[in-house]
Amino acid sequence: MNIAEKEAALVRLGQYLAGNSPELTAVKERAYLANGWFTPAFIDQSLNSICRYYLDPAALQTWLQQYPATAQERNPKKVGIVVAGNIPLVGFHDWLCGFISGHHIKLKLSSKDEVLMRHVLDKMTEWYPELAEQTEVLEILKNCDAYIATGSNNSARYFNYYFSKYPHIIRHNRTSAAILTGGENAAELEALADDVMLYFGLGCRNVTKVMVPEGYDFEPLLKALGKYDYLADHHKYKNNYDYNLALFLLNNSAYLTNGSILLHEAASLFSPLSVLHYGYYKDIQQLREDMAAQSDLQCLVGQQFTPFGKAQQPALADYADGVDTLAFLLEL
């Protein structure tokens, strides 16, 4: 396949994923049964974002124009990709970059997110049998020329140990934060609620901490977060909420809640599931500089940064950890 044919194949995939065929509907149901965190609404949210921001013809064309090397023939390498499984199809972008690069992709899928990714690969090979050998799903990755691996801080240490002598991209735990001024309107706070609550807050682009000015009134924020009150009906999420609430009560720790999420003052950028950390600031300019320098941040939401509501809508060029995955692959 040349680059124009690959682009056309991806557009076709986007049209399929944007539809509601009985086959796709059945796959989404199986994905939810396999992983209770992958609710139908959040599966649809992920698919819609992929179709709109990754597989849109104009977006693809604009992105690929930045990489003239994609049109050149190359000696394909074997690239092992270890995929995370925290949100539906979280590894799609890595696979997409591998597909565009023309390398032989060896995928180690997370047990939490096998159903959807396998279906994407099956559809591509059904439509284009010549692609059958380009991507292979394996339980163990060996004898690859390069590796891309995403996981926890602990697994990242193992990845660095095993893959250090090969060209690699190793990703570890990251999260996102927001800076509020107190002047945000209701629409902006509702958009921030999406950044916090989509996918139950399990993604590295989910906001897990907000920085607010001293004397900040949390009532409008709690009201906006009420947009996701229905998550309290999800037993896995509710178990986490009840557990963290019990900890705060037992430890006599101050907290705020609207009944579906807990707000707690803490220094850490990372917060437990069902908890949103907050902290106070005095000098917003200094805070912006300090937060922008945080190596654990995937994205920063607020004025002069990622707009409210856009944290979980990355574009093709919004690479994880700020490392250009496609450029890495094209340089192999």
Side-chain angles (χ1 to χ4, degrees):
M1 271 188 159
N2 60 35
I3 191 60
E5 291 170 332
K6 290 179 180 178
E7 190 176 341
L10 291 171
V11 170
R12 181 179 181 181
L13 177 63
Q15 293 169 342
Y16 171 75
L17 294 178
N20 57 356
S21 69
E23 182 182 16
L24 181 58
T25 298
V27 167
K28 290 190 285 187
E29 290 174 354
R30 285 198 291 114
Y32 176 48
L33 290 174
N35 184 348
W37 292 110
F38 288 8
T39 64
F42 287 157
I43 290 175
D44 287 338
Q45 175 73 31
S46 178
L47 291 177
N48 290 339
S49 293
I50 286 172
C51 294
R52 180 177 178 183
Y53 298 104
Y54 291 173
L55 302 179
D56 173 76
L60 276 169
Q61 189 174 59
T62 300
W63 180 54
L64 293 174
Q65 285 174 348
Q66 309 305 310
Y67 302 89
T70 56
Q72 302 169 4
E73 290 190 14
R74 64 180 45 79
N75 181 31
K77 307 289 187 180
K78 296 178 182 177
V79 179
I81 301 179
V82 181
V83 182
N86 48 327
I87 66 177
L89 285 175
V90 69
F92 182 85
H93 190 273
D94 281 342
W95 170 81
L96 172 62
C97 290
F99 172 70
I100 288 294
S101 72
H103 293 303
H104 294 303
I105 304 304
K106 313 295 183 181
L107 283 181
K108 172 65 173 74
L109 297 177
S110 167
S111 59
K112 298 176 182 178
D113 188 20
E114 284 193 274
V115 176
L116 293 170
M117 196 66 220
R118 284 184 181 275
H119 183 64
V120 166
L121 299 176
D122 288 344
K123 291 307 292 184
M124 290 293 277
T125 54
E126 175 188 324
W127 296 331
Y128 310 100
E130 65 272 27
L131 296 178
E133 295 183 0
Q134 187 183 354
T135 302
E136 187 178 4
V137 177
L138 300 170
E139 286 301 315
I140 299 176
L141 300 183
K142 291 183 177 180
N143 304 318
C144 293
D145 300 301
Y147 292 90
I148 299 172
T150 304
S152 66
N153 289 344
N154 188 49
S155 60
R157 286 192 288 270
Y158 288 98
F159 294 150
N160 276 308
Y161 175 78
Y162 288 112
F163 304 150
S164 60
K165 62 182 179 181
Y166 303 96
H168 62 267
I169 297 175
I170 306 296
R171 307 193 187 106
H172 54 79
N173 284 352
R174 286 204 176 211
T175 192
S176 299
I179 296 176
L180 305 182
T181 66
E184 291 79 18
N185 59 38
E188 289 173 319
L189 291 177
E190 282 203 11
L192 175 61
D194 296 338
D195 299 328
V196 174
M197 303 296 286
L198 280 175
Y199 311 116
F200 297 100
L202 290 169
C204 65
R205 299 184 68 90
N206 282 108
V207 169
T208 54
K209 183 168 186 178
V210 293
M211 297 300 298
V212 299
E214 293 183 337
Y216 182 79
D217 179 10
F218 285 96
E219 191 59 34
L221 176 58
L222 284 168
K223 182 178 179 181
L225 290 167
K227 175 181 180 180
Y228 287 90
D229 278 351
Y230 70 91
L231 294 187
D233 295 328
H234 187 278
H235 70 283
K236 287 177 175 285
Y237 181 86
K238 186 62 161 57
N239 287 343
N240 280 270
Y241 175 89
D242 290 343
Y243 173 78
N244 286 302
L245 176 59
L247 285 181
F248 292 149
L249 292 172
L250 287 171
N251 294 323
N252 199 28
S253 297
Y255 67 90
L256 298 167
T257 186
N258 60 5
S260 58
I261 188 169
L262 298 153
L263 272 60
H264 177 61
E265 184 178 2
S268 175
L269 292 172
F270 296 88
S271 64
L273 188 68
S274 77
V275 178
L276 175 63
H277 282 171
Y278 66 85
Y280 293 102
Y281 67 84
K282 293 181 180 179
D283 185 338
I284 192 169
Q285 187 55 42
Q286 183 61 53
L287 173 67
R288 286 170 177 159
E289 294 174 6
D290 292 344
M291 296 293 277
Q294 286 279 357
S295 61
D296 286 333
L297 281 183
Q298 187 67 58
C299 64
L300 185 57
V301 174
Q303 296 175 1
Q304 301 181 20
F305 297 103
T306 302
F308 294 113
K310 298 297 183 180
Q312 285 293 354
Q313 298 176 9
L316 283 163
D318 290 330
Y319 297 100
D321 292 16
V323 178
D324 191 324
T325 313
L326 184 54
F328 166 78
L329 292 168
L330 294 174
E331 291 168 3
L332 293 176

